[in-house]
Amino acid sequence: MSGLLKKLPSKLSSKLSSKLPVKVSDNTKVPAAQPHTTLKPISNQFTKLLSVTKFLPAAARASILSKAFGKVVPYVGTTGIYYENVDPNQVVVSLNNTKAVQNHIGSVHAVAITLLAETATGFILGLNLPSDRVLLIKSYSVNFYRPIKKGQIAAVASLSDEQRLDILNTPKGEMVIPCVIHDRESDSDRDPIVVEMTWAWIPKSELEARRQGKAAKALENKQNDNEKTKDEQSKAEQNESEASSKHSTLELESN
């Protein structure tokens, strides 16, 4: 998410806001009730972006955040994911069930549902992670026990204040973040799909050290390969020289 703030102007004009869509579809529902919190947001690139847009109307704010995040993560942007609510305690993202995200039987593709959950859980962790750390997806678990055939789907990821404090006070760790997938037009009596995403985070300094270590190892391997190639060429030249010398000797003896 580097360069996130550069994607959004520091001042948002009313003219720009008036041109943005009010909502992603007529099926958009009010996000689930947010968990009660007494904690203040930490300062990082995500929360700074939110502070820039906090005085805008909710619909305009959601549209701007959706466009900004969509540009930073192009693959996410191409799917049409809409950021309805972005808060340190809860993130709600939605996706319309259109032809572009359907599978061969007309249901929302499993990858689209997984991406929606990954987006919600990743952003809620990002909102609570100090800027000197980096987040990494580790694993996930999801049971697709029923198809989602129509309407809009939404992913809701939530963190308690206790979880937020654990993230803040743990320089290197991991956490399972559950995400509930709501089928907003379904009349099914079955429970919503629940996805469990395991995210990890490490200090940026450690990641950089790993990269430098890999770069140094790659350079060492390249140098070793070059030396090996030189040795092989030298041996080949020596063998060729010996063969030529032997051939010359045989010619002299035959004469």
Side-chain angles (χ1 to χ4, degrees), residues 5-250:
L5 294 177
K6 296 180 181 178
K7 299 291 183 178
L8 192 68
S10 58
K11 294 183 179 180
L12 300 168
S13 65
S14 58
K15 182 178 180 181
L16 174 61
S17 301
S18 64
K19 291 183 178 181
L20 294 169
V22 175
K23 55 185 177 181
V24 71
S25 80
D26 292 336
N27 301 323
T28 303
K29 294 184 180 181
V30 177
Q34 296 183 24
H36 177 70
T37 180
T38 58
L39 296 180
K40 293 183 178 180
I42 65 171
S43 179
N44 61 23
Q45 57 183 354
F46 292 96
T47 55
K48 287 178 181 178
L49 178 58
L50 294 181
S51 66
V52 171
T53 62
K54 66 180 179 179
F55 296 113
L56 291 174
R61 185 173 190 251
S63 295
I64 290 174
L65 292 176
S66 298
K67 289 186 177 182
F69 292 143
K71 288 181 179 180
V72 175
V73 189
Y75 178 61
V76 174
T78 59
T79 60
I81 289 179
Y82 188 78
Y83 296 76
E84 295 184 8
N85 183 68
V86 183
D87 181 86
N89 284 86
Q90 186 181 86
V91 170
V92 181
V93 292
S94 60
L95 182 66
N96 283 337
N97 187 349
T98 62
K99 189 71 175 177
V101 297
Q102 291 177 353
N103 58 21
H104 60 291
I105 59 173
S107 299
V108 176
H109 200 285
V111 171
I113 294 175
T114 304
L115 177 63
L116 198 66
E118 189 268 351
T119 301
T121 54
F123 270 92
I124 200 168
L125 175 57
L127 285 169
N128 291 283
L129 205 61
S131 57
D132 63 342
R133 303 170 202 171
V134 61
L135 69 165
L136 306 162
I137 185 69
K138 191 170 183 180
S139 65
Y140 65 86
S141 174
V142 54
N143 294 313
F144 298 100
Y145 51 78
R146 66 181 175 93
I148 298 179
K149 294 184 177 179
K150 63 179 182 178
Q152 188 185 76
I153 58 175
V156 181
S158 302
L159 288 177
S160 65
D161 282 355
E162 182 179 1
Q163 289 173 307
R164 290 176 59 193
L165 285 173
D166 285 342
I167 294 169
L168 179 63
N169 297 324
T170 308
K172 180 179 179 180
E174 64 179 61
M175 180 177 291
V176 176
I177 303 179
C179 181
V180 180
I181 306 293
H182 292 281
D183 183 359
R184 286 176 164 171
E185 286 191 13
S186 174
D187 54 4
S188 174
D189 293 331
R190 295 183 181 181
D191 292 332
I193 296 174
V194 176
V195 181
E196 290 188 345
M197 292 274 179
T198 302
W199 286 88
W201 61 91
I202 61 174
K204 288 183 178 179
S205 57
E206 181 175 330
L207 180 62
E208 184 61 28
R210 290 183 184 180
R211 288 174 175 171
Q212 291 178 354
K214 289 181 179 180
K217 186 65 176 179
L219 179 60
E220 181 183 352
N221 291 338
K222 185 177 180 180
Q223 291 174 341
N224 291 337
D225 290 341
N226 289 338
E227 291 296 327
K228 183 178 180 181
T229 300
K230 289 180 180 179
D231 290 342
E232 291 175 349
Q233 289 177 345
S234 178
K235 288 180 180 180
E237 291 174 356
Q238 182 178 354
N239 291 336
E240 183 179 352
S241 176
E242 291 176 353
S244 176
S245 176
K246 184 177 181 180
H247 180 69
S248 298
T249 302
L250 290 174

